[in-house]
């Protein structure tokens, strides 16, 4: 392998249907991609995309596949992956299959006893046999990427797992398991590699495991930050430590990043133009010694005017390119030099947004500006399961996200998020004004694309403003309750009244945008069950009632509204401030 590796994914979890054609694959090669992941591999299995080995070949002794038709669909799915791999090789792309193992069904997420354990030699043997069958079924498959947590995989805890694992640190169990799998794969595919993603391990566990893998035919696939793929905080301390440890162990590292406007941070949006964020992220991870390239983490859609994807292309063509040249090149494609200022301001807005407040700042397009009317919080954990019980969530992730549980936040923490949301909204508002002032009602493709960009920029503003207003009203309502009947309370109530008006206006502006296309808004059964996707909240009458109550009887308002309540994800998991 010479030159940096750049690995693509066709289709995304929220728009999984993709054209696996020679033309599409050759287009990726033209853009600088060197490899492709053959499946989308996303937890909720969009479009029955493969998630586990059990979805392709029999793994006797493992739980049954949760894919459509279970194991009965294996031949169909294996044929599909084999066809994709053949087409990818014909286009000159290296191929990678992404799977989670040991596969546990949903037992790990649900806190149930795990059906498979890597301390049991039978677990290793069944996956070694399955690797051999996989290699026979998909002759054009080069590399494997395995997750050992998440993606329906899970590992025994040293503290409450099975008897064999009790008291045995995870890295001592995991390193020999991974090494044996990597050896098996390399015997079947000389020159190929097993890539391991240490997702959900603590930094300490991951580093200790990497050290024990020295010399194995293995590589590391790492999120750009130990908390997640985080575009504005790529190449964190963990990534740098892991890459250095891997380099000493002779293992290559690939960093996972977002290369387009369709990504998990803004899902299910597809047009938010923040090209300087895309380029900064690429520069950050590729500057880390030991990083051999990048892999798209979410997916790519065929969109010749996706500004973030075009920025990635410009970087791939010239990694030394400056921000100003990126913006000039993109603006030239749209034949409107003034767009450089729009996209610079939009990138600034995105960068100042408080992505570090909580994991639930993500999936911004799913946040509901018609927020709950109980007290604002910053949601730190999923309410149904209260928390994901993995090493990373109990340790290192606390250094990435300010909130990892749903305890009552301090008002200064609330204010921090409020102020950064407000700054982000103001910066995006300046960007969208620049755009709308000059955007004519033309029918050409760039104009249509720019209108889509403007719509998502306005969506960014209404969401950020909803968070800021919800928080400020909550903090003031608490202060009003503590104040006597005098001037201070009067002043605070007057500010609350103004903010409620602004909040109602913001909600109306959001609703004036119209809903997402139905296929993007629907979500999967699992997404709906876990309230990752909820129906669009459209009742602006609720906040009007709150205003009427305040006008009629302030004491009743303070008793009824913006009070603490138990968390039910009323407005969905990604409505950050709603309980
Ligand atoms: Zn065990």
């Amino acid at each position: 392998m010479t030159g940096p590796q750049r690995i693509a994914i066709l289709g995304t979890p929220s728009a999984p249907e993709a054209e696996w054609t020679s033309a599409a694959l050759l287009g990726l090669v033209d853009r600088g991609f060197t490899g492709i992941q053959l499946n989308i591999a996303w937890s909720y299995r969009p479009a029955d995309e493969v998630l586990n080995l059990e979805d392709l070949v029999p793994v006797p002794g493992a739980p049954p596949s949760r894919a459509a038709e279970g194991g009965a669909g294996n031949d169909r799915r294996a044929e599909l992956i084999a066809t994709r791999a053949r087409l990818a090789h014909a286009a000159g792309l290296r191929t990678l299959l992404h799977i989670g193992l040991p596969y546990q069904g949903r037992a790990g997420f649900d806190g149930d006893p795990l059906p498979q354990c890597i301390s049991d030699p039978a677990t290793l043997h069944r996956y070694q046999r399955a690797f051999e069958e996989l290699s026979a079924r998909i002759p054009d498959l080069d590399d494997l990427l395995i997750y050992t947590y998440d993606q329906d995989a899970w590992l025994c805890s040293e503290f409450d797992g099975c008897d064999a694992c009790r008291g045995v640190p995870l890295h001592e169990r995991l390193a020999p398991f991974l090494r044996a799998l990597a050896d098996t794969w390399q015997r079947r595919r000389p020159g190929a590699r097993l890539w391991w993603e240490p997702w959900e391990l603590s930094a300490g566990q991951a580093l200790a495991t990497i050290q024990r893998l020295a010399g194995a035919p293995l590589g590391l696939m790492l999120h750009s930050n130990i908390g997640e793929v985080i575009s504005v905080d790529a190449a964190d301390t963990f990534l740098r430590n892991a890459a250095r440890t891997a380099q000493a162990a002779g293992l290559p590292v690939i960093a996972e990043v977002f290369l387009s406007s369709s990504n998990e941070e803004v899902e299910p949006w597809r047009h938010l133009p923040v090209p300087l964020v895309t380029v900064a992220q690429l520069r950050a991870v590729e500057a880390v010694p030991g990083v051999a390239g990048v892999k798209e983490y979410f997916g790519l859609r065929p969109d010749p005017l996706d500004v973030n994807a075009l920025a990635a292309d410009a970087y791939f063509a010239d990694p030394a390119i400056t921000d100003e040249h990126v913006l000039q090149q993109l603006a030239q494609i749209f034949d409107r030099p003034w767009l450089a200022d729009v996209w610079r301001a939009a990138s600034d807005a995105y960068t100042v947004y408080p992505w570090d407040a909580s994991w639930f700042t993500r999936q911004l397009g799913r946040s509901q500006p018609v927020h709950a009317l109980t007290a604002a919080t910053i949601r730190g954990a999923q309410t149904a399961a209260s928390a994901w019980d993995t090493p990373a969530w109990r340790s290192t992730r606390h250094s990435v996200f300010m909130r990892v549980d749903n305890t009552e936040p301090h008002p200064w923490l609330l204010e921090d998020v409020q102020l950064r949301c407000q700054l982000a909204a103001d910066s995006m508002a300046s960007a969208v004004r620049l755009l709308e002032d000059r955007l004519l009602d033309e029918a050409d493709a760039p104009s249509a694309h720019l209108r889509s960009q403007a719509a998502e920029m306005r969506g960014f503003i209404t969401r950020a403003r909803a968070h800021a207003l919800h928080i400020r009203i909550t903090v003031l309502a608490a202060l009003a309750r503590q104040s006597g009947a005098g001037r201070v309370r009067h002043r605070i109530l007057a500010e609350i009244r103004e903010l409620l008006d602004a909040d109602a206006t913001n909600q109306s502006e959001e609703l004036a945008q119209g809903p997402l296309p139905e296929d993007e808004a629907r979500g999967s059964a699992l997404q709906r069950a876990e309230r990752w996707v909820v129906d669009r909240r459209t009742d602006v009458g609720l906040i009007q009632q709150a205003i009427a109550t305040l006008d009629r009887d302030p004491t009743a308002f303070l008793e009824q509204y913006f009070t603490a309540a138990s968390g039910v994800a009323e407005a969905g998991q990604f409505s950050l401030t709603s309980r």
Side-chain angles (χ1 to χ4, degrees), residues 419-434:
L419 293 174
R420 287 194 276 156
C421 282
Q422 191 60 53
L423 290 167
D426 292 348
S427 183
M428 194 62 88
S430 75
V432 85
R433 267 196 306 276
L434 285 173

Side-chain angles (χ1 to χ4, degrees), residues 114 116-120 155-157 161-166 173:
L114 300 178
Q116 300 202 80
C117 168
I118 60 170
S119 295
D120 176 0
L155 297 168
C156 283
S157 160
C162 75
D163 284 351
C165 295
R166 186 170 296 262
R173 291 175 269 142

Side-chain angles (χ1 to χ4, degrees), residues 5-7 254-255 257 259 282 285-286 292-296 316:
Q5 296 187 58
R6 270 87 193 238
I7 304 172
I254 288 182
V257 292
L259 296 171
L282 283 165
V285 296
E286 292 205 343
V294 294
K295 182 177 87 65
E296 165 59 35
F316 286 171

Side-chain angles (χ1 to χ4, degrees), residues 12 135 140 313 331 340 347 404 444 471:
T12 74
S135 118
D140 287 288
D313 295 352
S347 300
V404 294
D444 60 304
I471 290 171

Side-chain angles (χ1 to χ4, degrees), residues 63-83:
S65 163
R66 296 179 66 249
E69 309 151 11
N74 282 7
D75 285 349
R76 175 175 52 78
R77 283 184 290 269
E79 186 50 44
L80 180 71
I81 296 291
T83 303

Side-chain angles (χ1 to χ4, degrees), residues 55-327:
D55 306 338
L56 288 172
V57 296
V59 187
S65 163
R66 296 179 66 249
E69 309 151 11
N74 282 7
D75 285 349
R76 175 175 52 78
R77 283 184 290 269
E79 186 50 44
L80 180 71
I81 296 291
T83 303
R84 289 177 179 177
R86 195 169 58 245
L87 286 167
H89 267 181
L93 291 164
R94 194 172 175 83
T95 61
L96 171 85
L97 181 75
H98 169 166
I99 47 173
L101 72 79
Y103 168 60
Q104 313 281 16
R106 296 294 290 176
F109 295 96
D110 295 341
D112 296 331
L114 300 178
Q116 300 202 80
C117 168
I118 60 170
S119 295
D120 176 0
T123 302
L124 173 62
H125 294 152
R126 71 174 65 104
Y127 282 108
Q128 286 176 313
R129 279 195 301 276
F131 275 17
E132 298 191 351
E133 178 140 4
L134 179 74
S135 118
R137 289 301 305 262
I138 306 175
D140 287 288
L141 174 59
D142 298 313
D143 295 344
L144 280 178
L145 162 60
I146 66 168
Y147 271 54
T148 43
Y149 254 110
D150 205 353
Q151 306 293 59
D152 287 2
W154 215 268
L155 297 168
C156 283
S157 160
E158 171 186 352
F159 308 111
D160 57 9
C162 75
D163 284 351
C165 295
R166 186 170 296 262
V168 185
L170 191 63
H171 60 281
E172 291 180 11
R173 291 175 269 142
L174 194 49
F177 179 74
L178 291 168
R179 187 184 286 275
L181 287 176
D183 285 342
T184 302
W185 189 247
Q186 205 193 35
R187 275 198 298 278
R188 302 297 303 196
R189 287 279 189 282
R193 209 174 269 279
L194 181 78
W195 297 86
W196 173 53
E197 164 69 68
W199 185 232
E200 298 298 342
L201 267 58
S202 70
Q205 287 174 332
L207 295 172
T209 309
I210 294 166
Q211 212 171 41
R212 281 165 187 251
L213 291 169
L218 203 138
L220 290 171
M221 198 72 76
L222 301 175
H223 287 53
S224 63
N225 179 301
I226 194 163
E228 253 305 346
V229 175
I230 302 178
S231 9
V232 301
D233 197 10
D236 66 334
T237 306
F238 170 71
L239 183 86
R240 299 195 305 274
N241 279 334
R244 194 179 55 253
T245 309
Q247 212 173 18
L251 313 177
V253 171
I254 288 182
E256 291 170 301
V257 292
F258 295 128
L259 296 171
S260 84
S261 307
S262 296
N263 65 62
E264 193 189 11
E265 287 176 342
V266 297
E267 188 185 354
W269 290 345
R270 311 196 294 217
H271 302 96
L272 194 70
V274 295
L276 297 186
V277 174
T278 309
V279 170
Q281 174 194 217
L282 283 165
R283 279 191 203 117
V285 296
E286 292 205 343
V288 176
V291 170
V294 294
K295 182 177 87 65
E296 165 59 35
Y297 180 64
F298 190 73
L300 301 169
R301 296 185 61 261
D303 178 354
L305 294 176
D306 181 325
V307 173
N308 298 4
L310 289 168
D313 295 352
Y315 171 89
F316 286 171
D318 175 13
I321 193 167
T322 63
D323 280 359
E324 289 315 305
H325 278 115
V326 170
L327 292 173

